[in-house]
Amino acid sequence: MASDEDDVFSAEMADVVPLKRDPRVTVRSRSQAERDSSVDLRRQAAVQNPERDRNILTEGGIEPLDAWYVLEFKRPGVQNGVFRRLKQGRHESEARLDLHRLTAAAARKEMFEFIEESHQLGLRTVLIIHGKGQTSAEKKRSSILKGCTDRWLRELDVVQAFNSAQPQHGGTGAVYVLLRKSEEKKRENREKFAKGRVPVDPV
């Protein structure tokens, strides 16, 4: 009986065409080995691609400068009177960085972080000591650091001007640096100015 029913069913379905279906993506559960392999690959990528260095200062290829050479730089827009007072050492240095015993690589890192932090703190004038050197070895290192200081300070947008220091502050072995006002300091000055203004009654 069951065989007769199967024959009847087959006869009835003989002219039926199956519907076309899009192939389905087979989702397989990942094995523990595959998951472990993925973790290893991510770790390897993290080691090979460390966090991008934000330090924009030039590495290598910088010419040394003579110990007695006077460093001098001023961006357009810096008032001559402000620059003159900087050169004369009349702006009190609010922080200082001593580079003269460091390698160029270490000095590059220290200077970038020092200038960045000084600007964030709202400092306007800082002193950087690159040295002049007493022995021949020190003189060679100092001349390289002096060349680096001259190049690097020009590469930092927040540096508005710089000039070799007065003798009492290190002479040509150090440099005064004038920094741009931070946004926080600008805001504070605007608030002070607004509080100090006296409204004028219209006539």
Side-chain angles (χ1 to χ4, degrees):
M1 184 67 179
S3 179
D4 292 341
E5 289 178 354
D6 290 342
D7 292 340
V8 171
F9 179 77
S10 297
E12 290 290 335
M13 301 297 292
D15 58 347
V16 175
V17 178
L19 294 173
K20 289 185 177 179
R21 303 176 99 183
D22 293 331
R24 298 180 64 182
V25 176
T26 303
V27 179
R28 295 181 300 152
S29 61
R30 296 169 65 191
S31 67
Q32 184 63 42
E34 288 175 319
R35 287 194 293 272
D36 291 344
S37 175
S38 176
V39 170
D40 290 340
L41 288 173
R42 288 198 301 273
R43 286 176 179 165
Q44 185 178 352
V47 171
Q48 292 176 347
N49 302 295
E51 184 180 350
R52 184 172 175 271
D53 186 6
R54 296 183 301 105
N55 193 334
I56 63 168
L57 303 180
T58 299
E59 293 184 78
I62 300 175
E63 292 295 321
L65 291 175
D66 184 78
W68 304 106
Y69 180 80
V70 175
L71 301 184
E72 184 178 53
F73 173 78
K74 178 172 78 74
R75 293 196 191 279
V78 176
Q79 296 177 359
N80 290 330
V82 172
F83 187 52
R84 184 168 57 252
R85 287 193 295 275
L86 180 74
K87 292 169 67 173
Q88 294 170 348
R90 290 166 58 191
H91 291 291
E92 183 179 357
S93 296
E94 300 168 281
R96 61 182 242 164
L97 174 66
D98 192 342
L99 300 175
H100 78 280
R101 293 189 183 278
L102 301 181
T103 64
R108 175 180 176 270
K109 178 178 181 295
E110 290 294 322
M111 183 179 292
F112 181 79
E113 293 177 355
F114 174 74
I115 294 295
E116 183 178 58
E117 185 176 357
S118 296
H119 181 248
Q120 289 172 352
L121 292 172
L123 307 186
R124 293 300 312 282
T125 307
V126 297
L127 180 72
I128 295 177
I129 303 166
H130 47 74
K132 285 186 287 190
Q134 301 301 318
T135 67
S136 58
E138 287 177 343
K139 193 169 292 184
K140 182 178 180 181
R141 183 188 299 116
S142 296
S143 65
I144 291 171
L145 289 178
K146 186 168 188 173
C148 290
T149 298
D150 184 57
R151 169 76 71 86
W152 291 339
L153 290 176
R154 295 168 189 264
E155 294 176 344
L156 294 168
D157 290 339
V158 297
V159 173
Q160 295 295 283
F162 61 83
N163 202 92
S164 289
Q166 291 294 312
Q168 66 270 26
H169 298 139
T172 54
V175 61
Y176 301 126
V177 183
L178 178 68
L179 302 179
R180 189 177 67 212
K181 278 186 183 177
S182 66
E183 292 304 316
E184 179 67 19
K185 281 295 179 183
K186 287 179 182 178
R187 183 184 62 76
E188 288 178 8
N189 288 343
R190 284 195 297 268
E191 289 177 356
K192 288 178 183 178
F193 177 70
K195 288 177 182 177
R197 293 185 66 184
V198 179
V200 178
D201 293 331
V203 178

